Amino acid sequence: MNTGTAAQRRRDGDTVAGVIRQWQSVHPGLDTGPMEIIGRVNRCAALLQQAEDAPLRRAGLSRAEFDLLGALRRTGDELTPGELARETFSSGAAVTKRVKQLQERELVERRADTRDRRVARVRLTDAGRALVDGILPEQLAYERAVLAGLDEDGHEELTGLLSGLLLQLEGRLGGL
């Protein structure tokens, strides 16, 4: 009895496979190919969000707040709220809210631009820099553990496939 490849057996057993089988029973012949990919990407994203990144949670940070702090740290510069929105793929309103919360925790400072007082500049405080530098190795170890089921070849293959998809979507949907 041929039970298919290991990859096929995994696909047949995940949550999205059940949804696809249901749609195919309602609409036989319907091409569910896009759902097989997008559904799985969305399901993975939802599960990763549910996990809420344990190291970040222990530090009292959301992923979005850590992304904002990380953007300031990795660019090594002061950024405007608009630049932070672009760096973190967030709306301006969301960035404004996060900056305010992080400012109250004394992790970032906000100041008016010297040339144009209407423009704000945001930078890490020493406490913010120490928090990012302290938590990043722990967060990466956590993420490594989440991906522990992938061998090196699987990791490289998934990275390449996701990168290709992201480049395609950014090119096609980025302007929308």
Side-chain angles (χ1 to χ4, degrees):
M1 176 174 81
N2 183 358
T3 58
T5 66
Q8 182 64 46
R9 285 192 304 274
R10 283 193 303 272
R11 280 194 305 268
D12 288 345
D14 68 29
T15 306
V16 173
V19 170
I20 290 166
R21 283 192 295 273
Q22 290 170 336
W23 276 119
Q24 288 174 340
S25 73
V26 173
H27 289 288
L30 184 68
D31 178 11
T32 58
M35 187 182 296
E36 293 177 29
I37 295 171
I38 293 172
R40 286 183 173 96
V41 168
N42 287 338
R43 181 71 177 138
C44 286
L47 289 170
L48 289 170
Q49 277 187 323
Q50 284 176 10
E52 291 185 7
D53 303 314
L56 299 181
R57 193 173 53 249
R58 280 194 299 275
L61 291 173
S62 68
R63 168 57 83 164
E65 290 169 331
F66 181 72
D67 287 348
L68 189 146
L69 294 172
L72 290 167
R73 182 65 174 122
R74 67 185 158 74
T75 61
D77 203 0
E78 295 180 333
L79 297 174
T80 66
E83 291 167 336
L84 279 168
R86 284 188 296 281
E87 288 289 331
T88 60
F89 313 109
S90 302
S91 71
V95 167
T96 298
K97 179 181 175 184
R98 288 180 198 127
V99 166
K100 185 176 187 243
Q101 292 168 333
L102 294 169
Q103 193 174 11
E104 289 170 359
R105 294 178 59 189
E106 299 181 352
L107 298 174
V108 299
E109 295 174 338
R110 184 182 172 125
R111 67 169 187 81
D113 186 272
T114 54
R115 288 176 280 169
D116 184 348
R117 307 292 277 165
R118 296 171 297 174
V119 176
R121 297 230 165 248
V122 181
R123 69 178 178 166
L124 285 175
T125 62
D126 290 341
R129 185 175 298 103
L131 179 63
V132 172
D133 289 350
I135 202 168
L136 183 60
E138 187 180 351
Q139 180 63 25
L140 288 171
Y142 169 80
E143 291 174 3
R144 196 171 293 109
V146 167
L147 298 173
L150 291 176
D151 61 18
E152 188 175 332
D153 289 342
H155 182 100
E156 288 180 25
E157 180 180 10
L158 184 57
T159 298
L161 290 169
L162 289 172
S163 179
L165 178 61
L166 182 58
L167 285 168
Q168 179 184 5
L169 292 174
E170 287 176 339
R172 185 178 304 154
L173 303 176
L176 295 181

